[in-house]
């Protein structure tokens, strides 16, 4: 989900509205007896739709224990067909093979955070609601407060620039370092105020805190690394003809998906420059995916009017070929 928030977009009581739901289900073409991975269970929107579309089985993964806890009721509704799996989608191949599943018919990924996570002030994702500066989806590891208070200024600036695409990253990092000298920054609203004092609101009206909060969230949860691992894991798990559908919310994520699919959709007698370096110099490379559609699928006006958080979404879909997964050739993670 995008880091951009609007106070009027969602209230704390509302549930997550799945983005591009119809398009994702159409892309996966669920069939009776088919086995699917929903790598980002969240509020269970995709999972429910896949289970309803056919007599299928869904392995639903989420790294956030709260999301899976909320999904238990759904598990009771589809006792033999829905399996809730705690963990990261980057590990989906291991998570499934350890449960006796070595191939699947479809994988869906809906990258980012859910409305429930953003709206819960105690999780610390929101720059509009005061809460502890946390942002950890798994509630373990380094929090956003740890990063903001301990990281050297240059590194902080690089993260804000790279993951937030913030032009004024240096200015923001300098302001954070000055503020933390006074006292540690432990609350979301204090950080948002520090950023707003350093960077003026642009003409597009986007809150200046948006980009830095996005950067910290991506860094704290290693979201881009997870996406790369998730794509490779899907390559290993999908059967020939199986479908991969990935919904992303900003250009950094979409670029990773696009580059991955481009690199996996070329066959050559010599490895392409995108192929893993460990491949033997003369091994032939066979395309493992066939991208479906030249351009990403985006939500229509109706969906955006109904769900403003959908406005930056884009979905890419590809079909697995019969070629051996590249990561399987080199024997492990990409
Ligand atoms: C945008 S929401 C998904 C919403 C879902 N498609 C629905 O229809 O309700 C993203 C969810 O993915 C989870 N998530 C994000 N990165 C993850 C990862 N690497 N592994 C597993 N779950 C992840 C988040 O905790 C969150 O619950």
């Amino acid at each position: 989900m995008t880091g951009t928030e609007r106070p009027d977009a969602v209230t704390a009581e509302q549930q997550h509205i799945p983005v591009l739901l119809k398009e994702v289900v159409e892309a996966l073409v669920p069939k009776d007896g088919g086995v699917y991975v929903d790598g980002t269970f969240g509020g269970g929107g995709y999972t429910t739709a896949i289970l309803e579309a056919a007599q299928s089985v869904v392995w639903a993964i989420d790294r956030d224990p709260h999301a899976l806890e909320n999904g238990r009721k759904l598990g009771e509704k589809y006792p033999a067909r829905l399996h809730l799996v705690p963990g990261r989608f980057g590990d989906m191949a291991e998570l499934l093979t350890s449960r006796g599943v070595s191939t699947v018919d479809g994988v869906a990924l809906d990258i980012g955070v859910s409305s429930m996570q953003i709206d819960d002030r105690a999780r610390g994702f929101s720059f509009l609601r005061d809460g502890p500066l946390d942002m950890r989806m798994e509630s373990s590891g380094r929090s956003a407060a740890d990063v903001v208070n301990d990281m050297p200024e240059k590194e902080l600036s690089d993260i804000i620039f790279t993951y937030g695409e913030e032009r004024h990253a240096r200015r923001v990092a300098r302001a954070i370092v000055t503020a933390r000298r006074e006292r540690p920054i432990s609350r979301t609203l204090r950080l948002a105020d520090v950023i707003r004092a350093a960077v003026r609101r642009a003409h597009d009206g986007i809150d200046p805190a948006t980009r830095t909060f996005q950067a910290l969230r991506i860094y704290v949860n290693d979201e881009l690394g997870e996406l790369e691992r998730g794509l490779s894991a899907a390559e290993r798990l999908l059967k020939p003809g199986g479908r991969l559908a990935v919904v992303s919310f900003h250009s950094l994520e979409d670029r990773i998906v696009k580059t991955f699919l481009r690199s996996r959709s070329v066959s050559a007698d010599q490895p392409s420059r995108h192929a893993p370096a460990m491949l033997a110099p003369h091994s032939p490379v066979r395309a493992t995916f066939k991208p479906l559609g030249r351009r990403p699928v985006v939500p229509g006006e109706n969906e955006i009017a109904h769900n403003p958080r959908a406005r930056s979404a884009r979905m890419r879909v590809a079909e697995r070929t019969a070629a051996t997964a590249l990561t399987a050739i080199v024997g492990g993670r990409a």
Side-chain angles (χ1 to χ4, degrees):
M1 180 59 58
T2 173
T4 312
E5 292 176 61
R6 287 184 183 169
D8 59 339
V10 186
T11 67
E13 291 72 35
Q14 279 178 312
Q15 289 297 298
H16 183 89
I17 305 172
V19 173
L20 289 169
L21 177 65
K22 187 169 132 298
E23 291 82 354
V24 167
V25 176
E26 276 173 14
L28 294 180
V29 221
K31 57 176 192 228
D32 291 349
V35 178
Y36 300 87
V37 175
D38 178 354
T40 49
F41 176 72
Y46 289 4
T47 288
T48 307
I50 298 167
L51 289 166
E52 286 295 319
Q55 281 296 314
S56 54
V57 169
V58 174
W59 292 84
I61 301 171
D62 206 293
R63 68 195 287 185
D64 183 344
H66 300 277
L68 291 185
E69 187 54 39
N70 293 338
R72 277 193 17 205
K73 268 219 172 78
L74 200 60
E76 286 162 18
K77 191 170 168 202
Y78 302 97
R81 298 208 283 133
L82 172 57
H83 305 281
L84 296 169
V85 182
R88 299 183 181 192
F89 61 65
D91 297 324
M92 73 173 105
E94 294 78 5
L95 291 171
L96 264 70
T97 44
S98 66
R99 288 165 172 83
V101 180
S102 52
T103 56
V104 301
D105 298 278
V107 172
L109 297 177
D110 182 12
I111 306 304
V113 279
S114 67
S115 303
M116 287 82 76
Q117 289 167 322
I118 290 185
D119 292 342
D120 181 353
R121 64 177 68 225
R123 306 298 300 273
F125 288 106
S126 172
F127 50 78
L128 299 172
R129 301 176 179 86
D130 194 34
L133 188 56
D134 192 317
M135 300 196 195
R136 292 170 299 180
M137 292 188 204
E138 275 148 350
S139 311
S140 64
R142 265 172 115 198
S143 70
D146 294 334
V147 174
V148 158
N149 289 305
D150 300 341
M151 190 168 268
E153 184 177 327
K154 168 77 174 66
E155 234 178 290
L156 200 51
S157 163
D158 289 347
I159 284 172
I160 296 169
F161 181 74
T162 308
Y163 298 142
E165 299 181 295
E166 168 61 87
R167 281 190 300 136
H168 305 295
R170 276 205 226 150
R171 210 190 296 165
V172 174
R174 166 59 50 90
I176 288 174
V177 169
T178 306
R180 79 187 186 193
R181 265 193 217 119
E182 203 181 293
R183 71 194 144 87
I185 304 170
S186 59
R187 310 288 298 180
T188 50
L189 285 194
R190 175 150 182 253
L191 177 62
D193 286 342
V194 167
I195 301 164
R196 288 177 193 134
V199 183
R200 260 190 291 137
R201 189 179 281 264
H203 296 302
D204 57 15
I206 290 187
D207 190 314
T210 306
R211 292 179 290 275
T212 297
F213 269 64
Q214 171 186 301
L216 289 170
R217 195 201 83 207
I218 289 176
Y219 178 79
V220 162
N221 295 291
D222 185 21
E223 290 183 35
L224 302 185
E226 265 302 298
L227 178 55
E228 285 172 355
R229 286 188 286 278
L231 295 170
S232 298
E235 183 188 43
R236 295 202 292 283
L237 271 182
L238 280 166
K239 288 178 188 164
R243 296 282 183 89
L244 170 67
V246 186
V247 176
S248 63
F249 290 87
H250 54 76
S251 53
L252 295 170
E253 296 164 347
D254 185 55
R255 204 174 306 144
I256 289 174
V257 182
K258 189 169 126 184
T259 307
F260 174 83
L261 290 179
R262 191 179 286 164
S263 73
R264 297 307 210 256
S265 58
V266 281
S267 293
D269 290 335
Q270 300 271 320
S272 83
R273 62 193 170 87
H274 300 294
M278 300 97 100
L279 277 175
H282 299 297
S283 353
V285 175
R286 297 280 161 249
T288 54
F289 279 104
K290 183 173 116 203
L292 303 181
R294 283 181 62 77
R295 309 204 128 267
V297 177
V298 294
E301 277 171 29
N302 265 352
E303 176 166 3
I304 294 171
H306 176 63
N307 181 13
R309 281 178 175 174
R311 68 195 176 282
S312 50
R314 37 184 55 203
M315 175 182 76
R316 292 190 187 265
V317 182
E319 190 171 281
R320 185 73 171 82
T321 69
T324 309
L326 279 182
T327 44
I329 296 173
V330 296
R333 290 179 161 203

